[in-house]
Structures are given as structure tokens and as C-alpha cells.
Amino acid sequence: MQSLQHSLHDPIWRRAFRQGQRDITGAALGSMAMGLVTGVAMAKSGMGLGLILAVSLLVFASASQLACLPLIAAGAPLWVIAATACVLNLRFIVFSVHWRHYFAGHRRSYRMLMAYFAGDPIYAQFVRLHPVHLSTGRTSAAQQGYFWGMAFTNWAAWQLASLAGIFLADAIPLAWGLRFIGMLALLALALPMLTDRSVCCSALLAGIVAMATASWPMGLNVVAAIATAVLVGLWVDRYWRAR
Amino acid sequence: MPAYHDVYGWMAVLVLVLVTVFTRSVFLLPNGASRLPDWLRQGLRHAPVAALLAMVAPEIFLSHGHLLNDWRDARLVTVGAALLYYFLAKRGDVTGTILVGTATLMLFRIGLGWS
């Protein structure tokens, strides 16, 4: 990749990359906790080591891995597995709408690559430093460096922890509640996104709806929560603007 | 594991990879201007934080599908400590918030043996 080689020698890109690495540290800790939990769960799923390593290295999505492994172990039809993974990845569809503002002007292959590496914590942290996207639809060197500094660090942290979980499954005490550290990281990342009162309203309601529908299968409660937040958000925006 | 099981397993992994790549890039795939209706684009500004909190809230307040009935739960203390740090000590420090929460969780789970 010529452009990447070019970027690596750009001091602005490099400085932004290092800042990205620093800013994602806390969230990467949460990713590590989730990676460990996912690795242990995979090791104990009864699937072969080759398959487990392939899932860990290629899929890079803890929620759909945790939910789909039991389905695979039980021999569920492939379309059920695909549907479950789609629903659990719905939030990434939402993120891709937002990433489009920043990356639409780049090549399609580059857009797909960056989207693949943009795990849960990346968008929240990225928009804090770069709330405004360029009108060209292309990212600046500083934005690109920042993105890859965060995305690479988060990816590496998750992968190392997942591999550690796979190979050290019996030595890791899950009673410590490692999974909750991953959730804590997502909560901490969500806090700075509560920028105005109508977002606070929609977010609060999303949390309540997600709990009220927690018994729904396949992570559909998150879908219900997002849909509610968007509709209520639209209404609240309009209500407060009208006054 | 029988051979057909292996083929099935690899196909399932392929499905997961394809779904991951597709869902993460779906709105980045088309070239040219976005064709989302305006109202939806405005509404979607509420979606990212809603998605994060929708995943987190049940993990904090529910236990086996029911609301916690005992406040002495390490998760509540952890979230309380994290929120206090974020809003009162160092507003905007995400990394510190996660570290404070993690330390609290470890203290109460491992140190004090809370559930």
C-alpha cells in the first residue's frame, strides 16, 4: 500500500497515531477484558482449535462470537447464525452511517478496511477529537493517523487477550467479572457522547427499553432500543426546537 | 469430530466473517452521495450512544433477567464510582473512568467477595 508507506513517514500522521494509541488505552483495557472472556468461552465451546483460532483472528466481534459459538456447536442452520450475527452487529451498521461523513471520499477498499478495524470504542473516541468532518469527505493526515493509532491498538489488545483466553482458559477466573470491565469501558465511552439534553433523553430511554426487552432473543433488545432512541430523539429534537 | 462437521464449522466461520465485514461497511459501500432520507439522517445522531447504553444497561441492572433486588452488588458500586469520577473528579477522562471502575470492581469482587 503506497499511501500507507507514505503516511508512515509523515510526522503529522505519526504524531496523531501516537495520540490515538494513548487515547484508546483505557478502552483497550476493556477490549482486553472482553477478548479474554471471549477466548475462554471459545476454548470451552468444544470446537476444534483451528476453527477457534480462525474465529478469533478473522471475526473480531466479541458479541456475535459469544452468541454464535453455541449455535455452531449445536449445529444450527447457517442462516440462523447469519441472522443472529447481523442483529448483534446492528450497531456497526449505525456506526457505518456516521463513518461515511469522514471517509466517503476514499477508495472503497480503504473504506471497507477501516470499517472492519473500527471496533466498538473507536467511533466514540474519534468524534471527541474530531467532531467536524472535512467537506471533501476525505480524512486529513491527522485524522487518519489518529484513527489507525486507536484502531490498531484496540485490535492488537483484543487479539492478544483473545489468544491468551484460548490457551490459558483454565487458569483464568471468570468469577472476577472480566466481562463487566468490557461493559464499563463502553459506558465510559458513551458518557462524553451525551452532549445535549435531547440525546440524554433518547439515551436514557434506550437503556430502559433494552432492559424491558432483555428477554428477547438474538440481541433484538438492542435493536428495539436503537429504534426507540431514533424515533424519540427525532420527536424531542423537534419539540425543543419548536419552543 | 466427523468430517462433515468440519466443513460445517468452516462455513459457519465464513458466514461470521462475511457478516462482520458487511455490517461494518454497509453504508460505506456505495460510491457517491448518501441517499438516506433527511429525517433518518437527523434521527441517527441519537443512535451511537443509544447502542452503547443499550448493551450496557442490562449488564448493570439485570441479573438473570430480573432487576437487582439487593443494592449490595459490586456492579452498582463500580458504576457509581466510575460516574462520580467522571462527573466530579475529572470530567472527560475516559481512561481514568475505566481504571477507577476496574479498581473498584476488583476491590469489591475479589477483596470483599461481593457478587
Side-chain angles (χ1 to χ4, degrees):
Chain A
M1 270 172 78
Q2 186 131 34
S3 62
L4 181 66
Q5 227 158 32
H6 183 75
S7 303
L8 286 176
H9 295 290
D10 180 349
I12 297 175
W13 193 94
R14 290 164 65 108
R15 202 177 316 126
F17 187 91
R18 281 195 297 274
Q19 191 187 351
Q21 288 184 304
R22 271 197 305 278
D23 286 358
I24 207 68
T25 313
L29 183 79
S31 296
M32 288 186 92
M34 286 305 285
L36 261 182
V37 172
T38 311
V40 173
M42 288 198 292
K44 298 193 167 166
S45 69
M47 290 184 5
L49 186 62
L51 270 182
I52 291 173
L53 288 177
V55 172
S56 175
L57 292 171
L58 297 175
V59 181
F60 180 46
S62 56
S64 58
Q65 282 173 226
L66 285 172
C68 290
L69 280 175
L71 294 177
I72 298 174
L78 290 177
W79 70 266
V80 172
I81 293 168
T84 307
C86 273
V87 173
L88 287 168
N89 277 332
L90 183 98
R91 63 186 188 281
F92 289 114
I93 297 179
V94 169
F95 291 139
S96 83
V97 176
H98 292 272
W99 283 124
R100 196 182 163 79
H101 301 308
Y102 292 90
F103 285 91
H106 293 272
R107 284 200 321 278
R108 181 185 283 139
S109 55
Y110 183 81
R111 301 197 298 258
M112 289 176 73
L113 188 72
M114 54 79 33
Y116 176 77
F117 281 95
D120 276 310
I122 310 298
Y123 180 75
Q125 192 71 37
F126 185 86
V127 291
R128 285 188 73 201
L129 192 71
H130 297 289
V132 181
H133 52 86
L134 303 182
S135 56
T136 54
R138 289 179 66 87
T139 42
S140 64
Q143 288 176 334
Q144 274 192 48
Y146 192 60
F147 176 87
W148 286 111
M150 291 195 297
F152 173 74
T153 308
N154 182 59
W155 179 84
W158 194 90
Q159 290 293 358
L160 283 177
S162 174
L163 292 175
I166 292 170
F167 290 108
L168 307 173
D170 293 326
I172 293 166
L174 288 184
W176 289 3
L178 288 173
R179 182 185 162 77
F180 194 67
I181 298 175
M183 291 299 145
L184 183 69
L186 295 186
L187 174 69
L189 285 160
L191 293 177
M193 298 173 93
L194 299 166
T195 45
D196 59 71
R197 55 186 177 168
S198 66
V199 171
C200 288
C201 276
S202 64
L204 181 71
L205 209 66
I208 293 171
V209 169
M211 288 194 283
T213 57
S215 60
W216 292 11
M218 304 196 315
L220 279 168
N221 64 326
V222 175
V223 179
I226 294 175
T228 311
V230 168
L231 292 175
V232 170
L234 274 171
W235 185 81
V236 173
D237 277 344
R238 218 160 276 177
Y239 179 76
W240 264 322
R241 207 176 305 142
R243 278 170 18 127
Chain B
M1 228 187 242
Y4 72 89
H5 244 124
D6 250 17
V7 175
Y8 165 81
W10 285 105
M11 280 169 64
V13 172
L14 184 69
V15 165
L16 284 184
V17 173
L18 289 177
V19 167
T20 306
V21 171
F22 177 73
T23 50
R24 287 189 189 187
S25 60
V26 57
F27 280 99
L28 290 156
L29 290 176
N31 288 319
S34 145
R35 263 171 259 144
L36 280 183
D38 270 350
W39 66 268
L40 187 56
R41 212 166 340 152
Q42 279 161 21
L44 279 177
R45 88 185 178 94
H46 295 271
V49 63
L52 293 178
L53 289 182
M55 284 194 291
V56 173
E59 300 268 349
I60 300 174
F61 296 107
L62 300 187
S63 160
H64 305 293
H66 294 284
L67 273 177
L68 295 177
N69 49 17
D70 185 1
W71 63 270
R72 296 195 325 168
D73 188 295
R75 291 176 290 172
L76 292 183
V77 183
T78 298
V79 169
L83 290 179
L84 277 179
Y85 179 85
Y86 183 85
F87 286 108
L88 296 181
K90 268 187 96 174
R91 200 184 176 100
D93 180 9
V94 169
T95 301
T97 305
I98 297 167
L99 291 177
V100 166
T102 304
T104 313
L105 185 72
M106 292 294 143
L107 175 70
F108 278 82
R109 276 253 162 93
I110 304 170
L112 302 176
W114 283 26
S115 58

